[in-house]
Amino acid sequence: MMATNKWMLFLAMLVCSVLGWYYHSVNGNCIFGLSNHHRLDQPEKVKEILFFFRVPKTGSEMTVLLLQWLQGINGFRHVRLQNTVHRRLDTFEQRNLREEVLGVLSVSEGLPVAFDRHVYFTDLERLYSGIQRTSEAIKVNYFSSLRDPIDRIVSQFYYTRATPRPDIKLPPHISTPPPTSYRFQTMEECLEAAEPECSFVTGQHYDLQIPYFCGHDEHCTQLNNARALEQAKSNVELHFRVVGVLEQLNCTLRVAEKRIGTFFSGVQQLYFNELLEPKKNKNYGRPRQLREDLQMVLRNNLTMEYMFYTFVKQRLLEQCGESQNENQ
């Protein structure tokens, strides 16, 4: 048995030497770079980054504003990556994203760097093979946030009317392209007319919240796909230090400050002293709430979106409770 263990250890070391990379994942932290020789003895050489996967209409602009303010306070650099509607990437495009990140890090002068982009979950470390190696390890913190699914859809509906962009092109995998003319000016009218823009059909493809955590596989954008739901939940558990919830903003800030302090240290004080209210894109024409019967129609169509939302919310509240207990 001892000989077998030694042989297995030798094989593991050989594989690491040949590949020239080391990967470690625990509690959502990833470290990738060169061989791990003396890595734990040299923590000061580990660069740290934050990658904020922005889900539209979930309060992400507020988080970006906070990061822009915090970079001077906490001594990191915040970089906004190219932001397009092209959020589902093929393998080549995912590697280009990672090259872009590494390019910024190469001139960051050792500072931690926070990135943000509207893009589906991309495991940067998994793309290491075949890409030019870095000179030191990189610790990656994945962060994101979401929102009550119906509230997000309603917000998106009125936002597109308040800020129309007729030339915008959605990726071909999305089932319902934006309307050429906004025939309906209220969400109620749109739902009652069963307009494709407001109808969510199981099996069709939509840019909802699950894809931002599931990733770039074709099934990730398919509504009420059980595989997509489980993949999104698994990615949250394995990779994300924090996934915030807009309706639980206080807990989101508390947990982010506790678990990703390099970037979010002081965020609660900054928010309550400077913002007080979430920074939102103003949609003055939006009604306060949909009629209850129409909410039920949407809820029935968004079953797995609500299952995922409940899962993330419960996880956040558990993390929030843990951070409160630690401070007592």
Side-chain angles (χ1 to χ4, degrees):
M1 181 64 70
M2 289 288 292
T4 300
N5 290 339
K6 289 181 178 179
W7 175 245
M8 294 299 292
L9 179 60
F10 170 77
L11 286 178
M13 294 175 65
L14 179 62
V15 169
C16 274
S17 298
V18 171
L19 294 179
W21 63 272
Y22 168 73
Y23 170 56
H24 170 66
S25 178
V26 59
N27 292 329
N29 285 333
C30 303
I31 297 178
F32 57 93
L34 297 178
S35 168
N36 62 330
H37 182 61
H38 296 314
R39 179 63 40 78
L40 298 180
D41 297 329
Q42 300 173 329
E44 69 279 3
K45 292 188 177 181
V46 178
K47 276 189 176 178
E48 186 170 0
I49 77 171
L50 173 76
F51 201 104
F52 176 23
F53 292 94
R54 294 181 57 197
V55 182
K57 311 312 298 174
T58 61
S60 63
E61 281 292 346
M62 178 199 67
T63 305
V64 166
L65 178 61
L66 289 170
L67 286 172
Q68 289 174 339
W69 287 349
L70 287 168
Q71 63 180 332
I73 299 171
N74 292 335
F76 65 87
R77 181 183 175 196
H78 176 227
V79 177
R80 307 200 69 177
L81 298 175
Q82 182 181 7
N83 209 356
T84 70
V85 296
H86 192 49
R87 294 156 191 177
R88 180 185 171 201
L89 311 179
D90 60 29
T91 301
F92 179 76
E93 291 167 328
Q94 291 177 55
R95 292 190 175 187
N96 281 344
L97 174 60
R98 189 183 187 283
E99 291 269 23
E100 186 178 4
V101 169
L102 291 177
V104 173
L105 293 178
S106 69
V107 294
S108 66
E109 300 180 349
L111 288 176
V113 184
F115 299 90
D116 76 81
R117 180 180 168 179
H118 287 308
V119 66
Y120 296 163
F121 172 68
T122 307
D123 188 356
L124 299 176
E125 194 284 330
R126 186 177 60 82
L127 302 173
Y128 184 85
S129 178
I131 298 179
Q132 183 178 2
R133 294 176 295 178
T134 58
S135 60
E136 57 188 9
I138 304 170
K139 177 182 177 182
V140 183
N141 301 285
Y142 293 128
F143 174 81
S144 190
S145 61
L146 45 70
R147 180 182 191 175
D148 178 272
I150 290 179
D151 286 347
R152 178 182 176 271
I153 288 170
V154 172
S155 178
Q156 185 70 50
F157 177 90
Y158 288 101
Y159 180 70
T160 57
R161 282 152 177 77
T163 58
R165 292 185 290 172
D167 297 330
I168 196 170
K169 294 182 179 180
L170 290 179
H173 67 279
I174 299 302
S175 298
T176 55
T180 55
S181 63
Y182 297 114
R183 186 156 59 103
F184 300 103
Q185 293 301 310
T186 70
M187 190 72 176
E188 284 84 354
E189 293 173 339
C190 189
L191 284 166
E192 289 171 342
E195 185 76 1
E197 182 188 6
C198 304
S199 300
F200 295 91
V201 181
T202 294
Q204 297 296 309
H205 294 265
Y206 301 95
D207 183 45
L208 298 175
Q209 295 186 116
I210 285 179
Y212 289 87
F213 302 89
C214 176
H216 304 279
D217 296 324
E218 184 175 359
H219 62 266
C220 288
T221 55
Q222 191 174 46
L223 183 60
N224 293 326
N225 184 297
R227 181 181 176 191
L229 171 63
E230 292 306 315
Q231 190 166 312
K233 291 166 64 175
S234 177
N235 283 336
V236 167
E237 290 283 24
L238 290 175
H239 300 292
F240 283 83
R241 294 285 285 167
V242 181
V243 178
V245 175
L246 184 60
E247 291 81 10
Q248 297 291 332
L249 185 58
N250 289 351
C251 273
T252 297
L253 298 179
R254 182 181 300 118
V255 173
E257 182 164 5
K258 180 68 176 180
R259 297 176 67 86
I260 320 178
T262 299
F263 301 94
F264 286 105
S265 179
V267 68
Q268 296 178 84
Q269 182 178 2
L270 180 63
Y271 169 76
F272 289 110
N273 288 345
E274 301 295 337
L275 290 181
L276 295 180
E277 294 291 337
K279 178 180 175 60
K280 299 178 181 178
N281 294 315
K282 301 298 184 181
N283 299 332
Y284 295 104
R286 177 187 169 181
R288 293 185 177 180
Q289 195 172 34
L290 281 177
R291 291 203 322 258
E292 187 173 346
D293 60 320
L294 296 178
Q295 288 192 51
M296 289 302 298
V297 171
L298 278 177
R299 272 186 172 272
N300 290 336
N301 293 340
L302 300 169
T303 301
M304 291 193 180
E305 284 287 321
Y306 268 99
M307 291 173 67
F308 181 65
Y309 172 76
T310 301
F311 163 79
V312 170
K313 182 178 177 180
Q314 181 178 352
R315 179 179 186 258
L316 176 69
L317 292 176
E318 290 175 356
Q319 292 176 328
C320 191
E322 292 171 0
S323 65
Q324 286 180 318
N325 293 335
E326 291 173 1
N327 293 332
Q328 290 179 354

